[in-house]
Amino acid sequence: MGDRQAEMISIDEAIAALKSGRVVALPTETVYGLAASLFADEAIKQIFTLKGRPSNNPLIIHISSLDQLFSLCAPLQKAIKEDVELLAKNFWPGPLSLVLPANADKVPTIARANLKTVAFRMPKLEITQKIIEEAGPLVMPSANLSGKPSATEASHVAEDFGKEFPIVDGGLCQKGLESTVLYCDDGKWCIIREGSMPKEAFLTVLGYLPEIASKKKNQQEPLCPGQLFKHYSPKAKLTLYEHIPDDYNGCLLGFENRHYPKGCNVRSFGNLSQPETIAENLYRVLRQLDQDGIVSAAVDFDLPTDGLFSTLRERLMRASQ
Ligand code: TXA
Ligand code: MG
């Protein structure tokens, strides 16, 4: 861990802080989040400022029941409502966010960045569920400075923010990658941010593989504002290689079960046969580069394209931009 310290608080203290309109960092099964009550405008403003987040990038509302979702979204068409119930039954609590039309009277404009839609997620970690049950719906962007790799342990949050707000330490995040964000375009669900729920998971539930989409059919504006911004990048400059040059002898981010040119300083994401472990390690390995003062690294980008690897490829591409 870096040398920055933060105050660690209990679950009860977090509930009290959130209820009184303060910002708190919470663990989830994906990454740590920077939480505020959905109804605490000042705290939500503070989150944008602390992260350096553009005000046109909306936040996900974290809920603990489907009733909360139905009270915060606009009345849904029957087929969409049935899909939401089906997706929730199969994937919630879990690393999936759903974008739906907002109930504009109930969801503050600041949380949804003035959009007509709003994203919902029911996180899986029990302590976080308990906090939401007690404190009500929470907005929770990833607890990292805008543009940096997300935080998968409490020390990462402290590294970015020091003592700005207290943290509930839930240990390591089990998934290590953010939730997958789904959007319903003309009755068909598409993925607007890849995440720790791979697209193949939806095939049996929806009956089709959702497409990965960046724009709405025949329209210009992006579906997921967050995808416009710089993301997941360490200070170190990353270069992706399908084939590591034979004479390369610098820092190399790679995999346990691969052989690399002699003289490389290899840092491992894990074993290629275990994409879940690679996901869990990704942001820690990227953050460690900066902690160790490494200015550039090669990345072994000879990766499969299916399942979680699709998300891992997307994160590494963005991290290297
Ligand atoms: O796993 C996660 O989703 C984590 C944990 C803490 O729950 N949260 C997270 O939040 O990743 P954040 O704010 O870092 O990323 C949310 C993404 C952004 O890219 C944002 O643009 C998009 O979701 N988003 C939020 N509301 C949206 C909406 N109404 N329409 C389209 N995209 C939306
Ligand atoms: Mg984020």
Side-chain angles (χ1 to χ4, degrees), residues 98-159:
L98 298 177
V99 174
L100 296 168
N103 179 332
D105 296 333
K106 294 221 178 136
V107 181
T109 47
I110 179 172
R112 56 189 158 86
N114 219 358
L115 295 178
K116 292 196 171 80
T117 56
V118 60
F120 294 98
R121 164 164 129 77
M122 197 185 289
K124 189 161 191 171
L125 204 66
E126 249 167 60
I127 56 175
T128 307
Q129 281 172 10
K130 177 167 188 256
I131 292 170
I132 300 171
E133 272 161 28
E134 299 287 327
L138 304 177
V139 293
M140 220 184 336
S142 52
N144 52 281
L145 292 170
S146 203
K148 294 268 126 206
S150 300
T152 53
E153 47 190 277
S155 66
H156 295 164
V157 184
E159 200 173 271

Side-chain angles (χ1 to χ4, degrees), residues 221-268:
E221 86 248 36
L223 281 170
C224 185
Q227 298 297 76
L228 286 175
F229 305 107
K230 184 177 153 78
H231 252 79
Y232 318 116
S233 306
K235 284 197 200 103
K237 180 177 162 37
L238 303 182
T239 310
L240 309 184
Y241 288 97
E242 299 279 347
H243 302 283
I244 304 292
D246 287 338
D247 59 351
Y248 183 76
N249 62 5
C251 179
L252 170 68
L253 307 185
F255 304 93
E256 249 162 57
N257 49 328
R258 286 239 167 106
H259 293 289
Y260 296 110
K262 266 209 188 86
C264 289
N265 159 17
V266 180
R267 293 172 171 235
S268 174

Side-chain angles (χ1 to χ4, degrees), residues 180-192:
T180 300
V181 183
L182 283 190
Y183 172 91
C184 192
D185 194 3
D186 269 351
K188 269 225 149 171
W189 294 88
C190 57
I191 295 177
I192 60 172

